[in-house]
Amino acid sequence: MQLWFDPAEVFIGGRWFLPASGETLPLENPSTGEEIGRIARGNAVDIDNAVSAAEEVLAGEWGALTAAERGRILMRLSWLITQKVDALAEIEATDVGKPLAQAKNDAIALARYMEFYGGAADKLMGETIPFQNGFTVYTLREPHGVTGHIVPWNYPMQIIGRSVGAALAMGNACVLKPAEEACLSALAFADLARQAGLPDGALNVVPGLGEEAGAALTAHKGVKHLSFTGSVGVGKLVQAAAAQNIVPVTLELGGKSPQVVFEDADLEKALPFLVNAGIQNAGQTCSASSRILVHESLYDELCTHMAAAYDGLKVGPALDDLNVGPLISARQKEIVESFLAMTDENHILSRGRIVEDAPAGGHYVAPTLISGVGPDHSLSQDEIFGPVQVIIPFRDEDHAVEIANGTEYGLVASVWSKDGGRCMRMAKKLRAGQVFINNYGAAGGVELPFGGVGHSGHGREKGFEALYGFSVLKTVAAHHG
Ligand code: NAD
C-alpha cells in the first residue's frame, strides 16, 4: 500500500499538521492483525482549529464561489479520484479488510458521488410563492455554514462521498471525523480535494477517538449541522449533543433488513441477492440483509439453495479478493461470535470456509446461515454486524409484514414476487427507508435517497434529497406596492 500523505497527521485549512496531542493511535491491518502504522490522535484543539479554518473560508474564498464553480471543483475531484481508483481500493482493502473488488466499487462510488453532486450543485432552485398583491415572495437555499461529519469504518469512501459531497455542493465547509479503525481513505480524499482546487479550509479531516475528537465535534458551537453514521448508542449521544446547540442532525444508524421471498419468486434471480446482501463486507453493512423471510411452501427449497451457496463461500485476506474478508477488529469478531454462541449446532444450516493460509492474527469469521430460530430471537432482532443470516418462514402476506416490521429498525427491505400487485402492496406496508422490488440495493445507486425510520435513524442522504438536508430554506417577502 502506497500512501502519498502521512497518516499520523491531521488535515486542517489545507495543510497537514501533527495533532495537538502529539499522540498517535495504532493502524491495524484486519487481514493479519498486525500494526502497519500510526494515525493521528486528534482532539478538541484540532477540532477547534478545523472549525475556525472552515469558518474563515466560508467568510472568504469558498463562500464567494458560485454554485457552478463549486460544482466544477467537485467534478475535477471526481476525475482525480477516478485516476486513483486502484490505489484507493488497495488502501481501503488494507485498512477495512474488505475484498479488493468491493473496495474498488467503493472508490468508483466515491468518484460518482463527486460527479453527481458536482452536477447538482447549481440545480437546486428556490420557489416563487403566490401571495398578497404588492408582494413578491421567493425562497433561497443557503448553506448551514460549518457542517460536522462523523463516519464509521465499514464504508468510509461511500459515506464520505454521500455526506461531504452533498454538503460541499451546497456551499457548506466540512469538518470530517473518520473512524479510528479506518481513516486512511478520508485522508487520501482530503488530499485529492486539495489537488482539485478545493479552497483551503472547505474540507478538514481530524482522525481520532470517538469520545475525544468525535464528541468535541458534536459539542462545538461553531458547527451548524451534524451528519452522523454509526451505531444506535453513539447516535443517541450525537442527537443529545445536537440538542444542546439546537442544530439539525442526520442519523444514519443500524438495521435488521429483511428480504421477503414469496412462493412465486424467481429463485434463480433472487439467490445471489439473498446471499450477497448478507455477506458483503463480511456482513458489516448497515443495509445488510440479515433476515430472509420466505413463504413456508418454499422454505425447504430455499434453505437447500442458500446452504449450497454458503458451502462455496471462501473467507480470507482482503487482497486475495475472495468472497468474504476479515471483520474489522478482534472486538467485532468477539461480538459476532457471542451472537453465534446463542444458537446450537442444529440451527446452523451451513457455513463458509476460512482458507487454510489465512493469517492466524486476522479477524476471520466463517459466514453462517441459521434456521429454526423464531422472529423474536435475538439473532432475528438485533444487528449482529457480521456475516450471519437467519431464514424465517411466514404463512401469508400479513404474516410477512408483521415479521418484517417487527424489529426496532427500518432501513431497507425487499420483496421477491412475480405478482406486481403484491409487490406494490408490500412496498407500501414495509416500514423502511428504501424498498426494493425483485432486487436488493440497486447496486448502491448514489441517486437514490437513503436513510431509516425508527432506530435506523432519520434524515436522508444520497440523491438530490440530501441537498435539502444540507441547506437552509430562507423565505424572502418583498413589498413593492
Ligand atoms: P460507532 O457508532 O461506534 O462509530 C461511528 C463513528 O462515531 C466513529 O467515527 C466513532 O469514532 C464515532 N464516535 C464514537 N463515539 C463517539 C462519541 N461519543 N461522540 C461522537 N462520535 C463518536 O459505529 P461503528 O461501530 O463504527 O459502525 C457500525 C455501526 O454503524 C453499525 O451500527 C452500522 O449499522 C452503522 N452504519 C450505518 C450506516 C447507515 O447509513 N445507516 C452506514 C454504515 C454503518
Side-chain angles (χ1 to χ4, degrees), residues 150-154 159 162 177-180 209-211 214-215 218 228-231 234 237-238 252-255 286 383 385 411 450:
I150 298 181
V151 167
W153 43 262
N154 59 344
I159 295 167
R162 75 188 189 198
K177 209 302 277 175
E180 48 271 50
L209 297 173
E211 57 274 27
T218 61
F228 172 78
T229 306
S231 60
V234 178
L237 297 177
V238 173
E252 299 275 9
L253 309 178
C286 54
E383 186 184 49
F385 229 52
L411 195 54
F450 179 78

Side-chain angles (χ1 to χ4, degrees), residues 333-350:
K333 182 177 171 186
E334 247 172 58
I335 293 171
V336 174
E337 285 177 341
S338 72
F339 273 103
L340 290 174
M342 288 177 190
T343 183
D344 45 71
E345 276 299 315
N346 59 358
H347 286 145
I348 295 182
L349 262 184
S350 178

